[in-house]
Amino acid sequence: YLEGGGGGNGGETSNLLLYYIATHTKTDSWEKRQHKGHLFLIADEIQVPIDARIIKEYIGDGQPLIDLSFESIAQAVSEKWNVHVLLINNSSAHMQGSEKFYTNLFGPQSILIIEDPATIAETIAAVVGHEEGLVSDAKIDSDLTAVAGREVALRVGKTLSRKSSAKAPALR
């Protein structure tokens, strides 16, 4: 359910997406190997509450399958997914306290402050490659430099260096 128009309602309905992912998706990696997938949520604003009426209207569940509090939805989706919140560093995020909001839901290790939205694809690739043990920090840095240029590698490195996790790549 996309509100459309952007802004003006004080938040986003990304928790409806998270509810759907927590209650209506199955993945081979989880079902067969109990291996969590990577879920990337691109956000700038906090979430707005959803209720049973919205669940019924947009997803079709007669009754919600889980509690609809922000915390319950976050906990349910985190059971099968490594959640990464790519938080766009803009005035809406600052005014609403979005970093604190998402940190409280998913923990500081899940938050990536995006300084440059043009580097989101490279950031996602770097996070997955690193967390799956596919590439080292140095390899991510050299690959990004070769493919996208030194400035992109530096911007992605800045984003990743702010991530509060020992598992986060620390590109230079």
Short mmCIF file of all heavy atoms in Angstrom, two decimals, residues 109 130 137 163-170:
data_model
loop_
_atom_site.label_atom_id
_atom_site.label_comp_id
_atom_site.label_asym_id
_atom_site.label_seq_id
_atom_site.Cartn_x
_atom_site.Cartn_y
_atom_site.Cartn_z
N GLN A 109 22.97 -2.34 14.85
CA GLN A 109 23.70 -3.06 13.81
C GLN A 109 22.94 -3.11 12.49
O GLN A 109 23.51 -3.42 11.45
CB GLN A 109 24.05 -4.48 14.28
CG GLN A 109 22.88 -5.45 14.27
CD GLN A 109 21.86 -5.26 15.39
OE1 GLN A 109 22.07 -4.50 16.34
NE2 GLN A 109 20.74 -5.96 15.29
N HIS A 130 29.78 -8.91 2.07
CA HIS A 130 30.55 -9.00 3.32
C HIS A 130 29.90 -9.95 4.32
O HIS A 130 30.54 -10.82 4.88
CB HIS A 130 30.72 -7.62 3.94
CG HIS A 130 31.63 -7.63 5.12
ND1 HIS A 130 31.17 -7.87 6.39
CD2 HIS A 130 32.96 -7.47 5.21
CE1 HIS A 130 32.20 -7.84 7.22
NE2 HIS A 130 33.28 -7.60 6.53
N ASP A 137 36.77 -6.74 3.11
CA ASP A 137 36.63 -5.28 3.05
C ASP A 137 37.50 -4.70 1.95
O ASP A 137 37.06 -3.84 1.18
CB ASP A 137 37.03 -4.64 4.38
CG ASP A 137 36.10 -5.02 5.52
OD1 ASP A 137 35.07 -5.67 5.28
OD2 ASP A 137 36.43 -4.65 6.67
N LYS A 163 28.05 2.02 10.44
CA LYS A 163 27.21 0.92 10.91
C LYS A 163 27.77 0.40 12.22
O LYS A 163 28.95 0.12 12.35
CB LYS A 163 27.16 -0.20 9.86
CG LYS A 163 26.18 -1.28 10.21
CD LYS A 163 26.04 -2.28 9.08
CE LYS A 163 25.07 -3.35 9.50
NZ LYS A 163 24.90 -4.38 8.53
N SER A 164 26.91 0.23 13.20
CA SER A 164 27.32 -0.16 14.54
C SER A 164 27.36 -1.67 14.68
O SER A 164 26.59 -2.24 15.44
CB SER A 164 26.38 0.44 15.58
OG SER A 164 26.35 1.83 15.48
N SER A 165 28.23 -2.31 13.94
CA SER A 165 28.32 -3.76 14.02
C SER A 165 29.72 -4.22 13.71
O SER A 165 30.37 -3.69 12.81
CB SER A 165 27.34 -4.39 13.02
OG SER A 165 27.57 -5.77 12.93
N ALA A 166 30.19 -5.19 14.44
CA ALA A 166 31.50 -5.74 14.18
C ALA A 166 31.53 -6.41 12.81
O ALA A 166 32.60 -6.58 12.22
CB ALA A 166 31.88 -6.74 15.26
N LYS A 167 30.37 -6.82 12.28
CA LYS A 167 30.31 -7.50 11.00
C LYS A 167 30.32 -6.51 9.84
O LYS A 167 30.48 -6.92 8.70
CB LYS A 167 29.03 -8.34 10.90
CG LYS A 167 29.01 -9.53 11.85
CD LYS A 167 27.70 -10.25 11.76
CE LYS A 167 27.66 -11.09 10.50
NZ LYS A 167 26.46 -11.91 10.41
N ALA A 168 30.16 -5.23 10.11
CA ALA A 168 30.08 -4.26 9.02
C ALA A 168 31.44 -4.05 8.40
O ALA A 168 32.44 -3.95 9.08
CB ALA A 168 29.54 -2.93 9.55
N PRO A 169 31.48 -3.96 7.07
CA PRO A 169 32.74 -3.66 6.41
C PRO A 169 33.22 -2.27 6.84
O PRO A 169 32.43 -1.38 7.09
CB PRO A 169 32.38 -3.64 4.92
CG PRO A 169 31.07 -4.34 4.82
CD PRO A 169 30.39 -4.16 6.14
N ALA A 170 34.50 -2.11 6.93
CA ALA A 170 35.08 -0.84 7.32
C ALA A 170 35.96 -0.34 6.19
O ALA A 170 37.18 -0.31 6.29
CB ALA A 170 35.88 -1.00 8.61
#
